[in-house]
Amino acid sequence: MRTRVIILLLFILARHTSSGQALFGLSRDSLRRAAAATPDVGTFIALGQQYEANQTDSAIYFYELARQLAIKLEDHDGYVRYVSNYSAVLNMRGKYGESLQLNRGTIDTCLKYHLTGMSYIRALLNTGNVYELIGNHDSAAVYYLKVLPEVEASGDSYRVTVVYNNLSGLYRSLHQPAKALDYSRSALKQAQKIDDQYSIASAYINMGNALTDLGRFEEGYQNHQKAYEIGRQLHDSATMEMALIDIGDTWLKQGKPEKYMPVYQQALALGHALKDVSGTAYSQQGLANGLFWTAHYKEAETLLKEAIPFARDNDQREVWHGMLLLMSDVQAILGHMDAYRRYRDQADSVSDLIINASVVKNVQELEAKYQLLKKDLQLAEKDRQASRQRIGLIATTTGIVVLIILFLLTLYISRQRRQLHRLEGQYQERQRISQEMHDDMGSGLTRLLFQSRALQAPEMSQTAEQLIRKMSEIIWTLNHEQDTLDSLIAYIRTNAAQMAEAASFEFNMTSTGIDDRPVSQEFRRNVYLAAKEAVHNAIKHSGGNTLHISATAGDALTITIQDNGKGFDPDNTHRWGNGLKNMQKRMEQIGGKLKIAGATITLVIFI
Amino acid sequence: MDSILVSIVEDIPEIREGMRFIVNQTPGFDCLSVFSNAEDALTGLSENPPHLCIMDISLPGATGIECIRRLKEGGSEIQFVVFTIYENSDQVFEALAAGASGYLLKDTPPDRIITALKELYEGGSPMSASIARKVVASFQRQPTPRVLSAREEEVLELLSRGHLYKEIADQLKISTGTVRQHIHHIYDKLHVQNKTEAINKYYGRP
């Protein structure tokens, strides 16, 4: 999706290029005649631009002429413009490595020949663009940030807006929505200053996306709406479609199919009219999702049967992958397990394709880096030879001092490390002994279990099974990885459900506010055992047949265990025996409270 | 109909023989071979592969996890079932990531053992809450594209919260068999991711 925004912005940028604006009006023939009469780098480039849309080979031909001329005339600015345009063609063809190398080369050219102004700005912007296209957002951000002061100094408010908008999109990809929002706000201010409606719309879209990422859905929606409105006034379907898709995505994030389906439907209509394949595919995916989540499985299947080949044939890989996954879910629900497996396998193959493609881009980037590194190394070699003698004496003295310092540091560090190792070793030793003990005990018990089965001694079997279960509980308690609230609640749930099933009790458990906040081992153990006691009691002594547990976490953890049998009678403690005392003790140990009312036990502990 | 061939790798004799007995007793199942250590199992299982293999983790010498990993890297199509005492052990997750398709607790009653083997043969797998949480954490490290489908994510989420298969089946309006099929696919993705991570570590990428 982000690529779409970039392409849109690049397109707008190209349309407003100074030379482009001047020459767009002329026909191809008149340009050709002009080129033949007075060859000029700018003319060749303009010709190339004319052909870029549908005859890229011709475009390349003219760009090549521009390059040769620029080199012959030593027109460095012209050379930079050539690279600008030629690399755009390379980008379209996916030749990112070459494009990256060329563009980074132009930055060197600008620095070497002290070219400031447009050429330097172009060089930086285009390099940033290529990095964006190969998905290296960090490097892209570096270049956009570099070009920002240049653009601001140049007073070209339009370009300033473009850079702000680009940075906003970038920071969104870098998962920094706050920064994305800042840049989009700056973009909006600038765009409003020069009253460029297209840039204003882009800024609103970026603002909407950033706000949505920050969870401020209502505000995000309003900004997307504004962008849509501008698109409508300008009769620009592309802007409208983009705004609608973003609105749909926002509702999708909030899981509201009744809201997003009509929006995607609208976007789809626009996509069809514009022949925008990526927008169409994306909207279809949104609709298919909506049908799935509103349980219209048959309709989802019909839509996907049409949409999947469309995405595939138009090389919309991410959408294709998502739709295959969705179709597999649909087939599973409709009970067609063979189809479920087929679609699942197809989805896996496509995701491999996607991963491979990104690997290829990374490889191209690495190749470009390697080429540049080689050049840097050669330059460094030459410099080194020149100043070798001068450095010699200084180096030796510094070297000796450094060596002494390093030696002292190493002594210090190795002493610290040895102490640390000793402590770690002790801890790990204890862990290992504990682990071995449990394994040995568990092994012995399992052996006993199998022996008892062979000997047909059911009581021995039962005892062995109980002991193994007890050991399993201990292992859970001692495992520090499980020192979280959600681990505790999950464990309570599983065990309660198993106990209920064994006794043919109907079971139901609800939980709210349970997250992965850390809790101490002691806390976990005591709460679990208290809850287990309560469940055990409900099942064995209540005389009922349903069990309901609820767990709520806020400032305190509240667990209620409820059955439908005879409740607790204050005068009749027979129902409880030792169990009640145990529960009270456990609650006390962790500073919690125990309440009993009728057939409901409530445990409250502050966390 | 051909019977389902099962191999057993277990070092404690009582347990090994007990399992062999259970498998042979059941119509439709045959015990193809038994091994008491990983080295013998590695050769034996490559030469004469069964459909299912019950593999103990704690073996003398190389571990069951190593054995599974090596055989899977060699392209073995055997479905491995980790034989373990405790459900919450870290080693169970390691074995699943290395290529096992399921696990079996050593204290499972004999009749449930057969049901579990049948379910595995038919493409369904079990998963406990703690294993589910480990799987979730493992996938969180993975960036786009999405690894699991919406349904699979739902199943994984519910499992990690401690719901039983039947509860999940009722809630999602599918059968428990389908739940287990989803789990099986989740393990498949775990195997792939594990291999990718291993390769990346080898080549020094983060």
Side-chain angles (χ1 to χ4, degrees):
Chain A
M1 262 318 283
R2 264 149 236 138
T3 348
R4 288 166 44 78
V5 184
I6 298 160
I7 291 173
L8 183 66
L9 289 169
L10 283 174
F11 179 61
I12 296 174
L13 183 62
R15 273 204 289 193
H16 282 67
T17 313
S18 44
S19 49
Q21 226 168 12
L23 295 165
F24 247 27
L26 301 174
S27 72
R28 286 182 192 174
D29 285 329
S30 60
L31 276 171
R32 267 233 186 76
R33 267 179 271 130
T38 42
D40 162 80
V41 177
T43 330
F44 283 137
I45 290 182
L47 275 165
Q49 282 174 342
Q50 290 280 324
Y51 287 106
E52 213 178 282
N54 39 22
Q55 276 178 266
T56 44
D57 287 325
S58 305
I60 291 175
Y61 170 69
F62 283 112
Y63 289 147
E64 180 58 27
L65 287 176
R67 183 184 77 87
Q68 289 172 359
L69 191 56
I71 291 178
K72 200 156 52 148
L73 297 174
E74 292 197 10
D75 176 7
H76 303 294
D77 287 298
Y79 180 75
V80 173
R81 270 174 50 213
Y82 145 74
V83 170
S84 266
N85 285 282
Y86 180 55
S87 67
V89 177
L90 287 173
N91 290 341
M92 271 203 299
R93 291 184 167 186
K95 298 224 164 99
Y96 301 115
E98 219 184 307
S99 170
L100 190 58
Q101 231 184 309
L102 274 175
N103 278 305
R104 288 187 61 166
T106 57
I107 297 179
D108 289 337
T109 309
C110 289
L111 293 170
K112 188 163 165 201
Y113 294 106
H114 307 292
L115 300 174
T116 52
M118 261 331 292
S119 294
Y120 189 46
I121 287 173
R122 267 206 197 95
L124 289 170
L125 265 179
N126 289 331
T127 312
N129 280 340
V130 187
Y131 272 121
E132 177 87 51
L133 286 170
I134 62 176
N136 186 343
H137 304 297
D138 293 291
S139 300
V142 166
Y143 284 96
Y144 284 129
L145 288 169
K146 258 201 198 135
V147 83
L148 190 54
E150 305 285 330
V151 176
E152 279 166 344
S154 77
D156 182 351
S157 303
Y158 174 73
R159 265 212 181 67
V160 172
T161 317
V162 168
V163 177
Y164 278 140
N165 267 323
N166 273 4
L167 278 166
S168 175
L170 258 179
Y171 275 113
R172 194 174 173 230
S173 308
L174 290 168
H175 303 294
Q176 295 185 44
K179 276 219 174 99
L181 185 58
D182 281 336
Y183 279 112
S184 67
R185 286 211 175 107
S186 308
L188 182 62
K189 259 202 286 224
Q190 286 291 325
Q192 279 167 337
K193 247 202 273 186
I194 56 174
D195 198 29
D196 177 31
Q197 291 301 313
Y198 286 103
S199 301
I200 294 175
S202 300
Y204 276 132
I205 286 186
N206 281 322
M207 271 177 79
N209 290 339
L211 286 163
T212 308
D213 285 349
L214 290 166
R216 290 151 69 170
F217 297 123
E218 185 54 48
E219 291 171 76
Y221 174 73
Q222 281 167 5
N223 281 294
H224 285 139
Q225 268 297 108
K226 287 198 189 128
Y228 177 75
E229 268 309 300
I230 294 178
R232 218 165 50 84
Q233 278 164 14
L234 296 171
H235 301 294
D236 182 18
S237 303
T239 308
M240 285 197 282
E241 192 201 10
M242 174 149 299
L244 284 169
I245 287 181
D246 284 332
I247 292 174
D249 287 351
T250 313
W251 287 125
L252 184 66
K253 268 199 198 125
Q254 298 172 73
K256 300 224 155 92
E258 70 280 7
K259 285 259 147 78
Y260 60 73
M261 284 181 70
V263 174
Y264 281 127
Q265 193 71 59
Q266 253 187 299
L268 187 58
L270 287 172
H272 276 317
L274 284 169
K275 298 219 201 306
D276 172 20
V277 292
S278 85
T280 305
Y282 205 79
S283 305
Q284 283 176 326
Q285 188 180 25
L287 280 170
N289 263 311
L291 288 168
F292 177 80
W293 289 109
T294 50
H296 293 100
Y297 301 119
K298 275 271 163 205
E299 289 92 322
E301 185 185 27
T302 314
L303 173 58
L304 284 168
K305 275 218 165 98
E306 198 192 290
I308 285 175
F310 179 80
R312 178 196 64 209
D313 294 336
N314 287 289
D315 202 31
Q316 299 299 311
R317 283 195 191 149
E318 305 266 357
V319 171
W320 185 24
H321 174 254
M323 290 206 230
L324 285 168
L325 277 182
L326 189 60
M327 184 62 126
S328 78
D329 283 337
V330 169
Q331 295 301 323
I333 291 181
L334 293 173
H336 306 143
M337 297 320 287
D338 279 332
Y340 158 67
R341 271 186 285 271
R342 247 185 311 123
Y343 280 107
R344 194 73 191 78
D345 287 336
Q346 278 184 26
D348 289 342
S349 310
V350 177
S351 87
D352 283 342
L353 273 176
I354 296 177
I355 292 174
N356 280 341
S358 83
V359 168
V360 165
K361 284 188 198 158
N362 282 333
V363 168
Q364 288 182 344
E365 185 191 344
L366 281 170
E367 278 173 357
K369 271 199 192 141
Y370 175 64
Q371 295 294 340
L372 290 163
L373 250 176
K374 268 208 308 199
K375 263 196 256 164
D376 283 340
L377 270 169
Q378 287 167 351
L379 288 168
E381 251 316 304
K382 279 194 228 147
D383 285 336
R384 213 183 315 152
Q385 282 169 355
S387 48
R388 198 175 281 180
Q389 286 172 324
R390 202 179 358 117
I391 288 175
L393 188 57
I394 305 172
T396 337
T397 342
T398 342
I400 295 175
V401 176
V402 168
L403 277 173
I404 297 176
I405 297 176
L406 276 175
F407 181 64
L408 293 170
L409 261 173
T410 329
L411 277 179
Y412 176 68
I413 289 175
S414 71
R415 196 151 51 102
Q416 295 287 81
R417 223 179 258 166
R418 254 178 289 138
Q419 275 181 348
L420 195 62
H421 274 177
R422 231 179 304 135
L423 286 169
E424 265 179 18
Q426 283 170 354
Y427 175 72
Q428 278 176 4
E429 187 63 16
R430 262 183 276 140
Q431 288 286 88
R432 196 181 59 80
I433 293 174
S434 151
Q435 183 71 39
E436 273 183 14
M437 242 172 47
H438 293 127
D439 285 344
D440 282 343
M441 272 203 71
S443 242
L445 283 170
T446 319
R447 194 184 231 137
L448 260 172
L449 176 63
F450 274 78
Q451 277 171 342
S452 69
R453 284 192 193 147
L455 294 170
Q456 313 253 358
E459 289 123 12
M460 203 167 126
S461 298
Q462 240 184 350
T463 319
E465 279 169 3
Q466 279 173 355
L467 284 170
I468 292 176
R469 237 173 289 139
K470 191 84 210 144
M471 287 236 49
S472 195
E473 254 179 32
I474 294 174
I475 299 245
W476 175 77
T477 316
L478 294 177
N479 186 356
H480 285 293
E481 261 184 37
Q482 314 271 20
D483 280 340
T484 60
L485 184 59
D486 56 359
S487 166
L488 169 62
I489 301 300
Y491 202 58
I492 292 176
R493 179 188 232 114
T494 311
N495 282 287
Q498 280 170 349
M499 285 200 268
E501 190 173 321
S504 303
F505 259 64
E506 229 182 84
F507 173 69
N508 166 259
M509 177 162 173
T510 56
S511 57
T512 1
I514 306 296
D515 54 20
D516 60 354
R517 70 183 98 170
V519 293
S520 76
Q521 187 187 75
E522 201 194 351
F523 178 92
R524 220 172 15 110
R525 183 166 165 272
N526 284 297
V527 173
Y528 167 67
L529 290 172
K532 185 175 171 210
E533 185 66 51
V535 171
H536 183 259
N537 199 279
I539 289 182
K540 284 276 150 58
H541 303 302
S542 75
N545 59 4
T546 70
L547 175 70
H548 175 79
I549 304 182
S550 84
T552 325
D555 298 320
L557 172 66
T558 311
I559 303 180
T560 64
I561 299 112
Q562 195 179 1
D563 60 66
N564 66 342
K566 53 184 190 280
F568 173 68
D569 181 352
D571 299 321
N572 173 23
T573 48
H574 288 322
R575 181 181 154 171
W576 293 96
N578 274 329
L580 182 59
K581 272 195 234 130
N582 280 337
M583 277 201 290
Q584 277 173 333
K585 206 172 47 172
R586 300 209 185 282
M587 287 290 108
E588 260 168 54
Q589 229 171 326
I590 51 176
K593 285 196 292 235
L594 170 68
K595 284 189 281 209
I596 305 180
T600 308
I601 302 170
T602 310
L603 311 167
V604 184
I605 322 97
F606 288 99
I607 38 176
Chain B
M1 198 200 66
D2 287 334
S3 35
I4 301 172
L5 299 172
V6 183
S7 291
I8 300 168
V9 185
E10 164 65 63
D11 60 326
I12 298 179
E14 290 91 338
I15 301 178
R16 189 175 62 240
E17 293 312 313
M19 292 299 291
R20 193 217 294 254
F21 180 73
I22 293 172
V23 171
N24 277 331
Q25 273 280 16
T26 314
F29 282 88
D30 263 328
C31 182
L32 181 64
S33 52
V34 302
F35 305 96
S36 62
N37 62 72
E39 291 77 6
D40 291 341
L42 201 53
T43 345
L45 291 171
S46 329
E47 284 171 6
N48 204 7
H51 297 113
L52 305 171
C53 173
I54 301 174
M55 173 83 72
D56 180 20
I57 292 186
S58 55
L59 297 164
T63 68
I65 301 173
E66 241 335 280
C67 192
I68 292 176
R69 190 174 291 134
R70 295 268 289 275
L71 283 162
K72 278 295 178 187
E73 275 170 11
S76 170
E77 297 197 336
I78 304 172
Q79 299 240 59
F80 287 99
V81 186
V82 180
F83 206 28
T84 176
I85 305 174
Y86 308 116
E87 203 172 39
N88 295 330
S89 145
D90 293 333
Q91 293 175 309
V92 177
F93 177 77
E94 245 192 272
L96 289 164
S101 311
Y103 61 90
L104 186 63
L105 296 185
K106 288 196 184 181
D107 63 347
T108 313
D111 54 340
R112 282 279 315 144
I113 291 178
I114 295 302
T115 323
L117 291 176
K118 277 207 186 109
E119 276 163 355
L120 266 145
Y121 182 72
E122 284 160 11
S125 296
M127 189 186 279
S128 74
S130 63
I131 293 175
R133 272 204 303 287
K134 281 199 157 81
V135 174
V136 170
S138 185
F139 282 137
Q140 264 165 6
R141 297 198 289 272
Q142 181 80 291
T144 48
R146 263 174 74 206
V147 176
L148 299 179
S149 76
R151 260 288 115 93
E152 287 160 3
E153 276 181 1
E154 277 181 306
V155 169
L156 189 60
E157 179 63 33
L158 290 170
L159 282 168
S160 73
R161 292 213 222 116
H163 292 263
L164 301 185
Y165 306 124
K166 193 167 171 311
E167 277 185 82
I168 299 175
D170 287 340
Q171 194 170 332
L172 301 181
K173 308 219 191 337
I174 52 182
S175 71
T176 51
T178 311
V179 175
R180 287 177 204 269
Q181 300 247 349
H182 284 307
I183 296 175
H184 190 98
H185 277 287
I186 294 172
Y187 286 144
D188 281 342
K189 299 308 294 186
L190 192 66
H191 301 157
V192 172
Q193 194 207 313
N194 206 47
K195 261 193 264 181
T196 318
E197 275 183 0
I199 293 173
N200 283 342
K201 242 188 267 194
Y202 182 74
Y203 285 111
R205 294 175 120 252

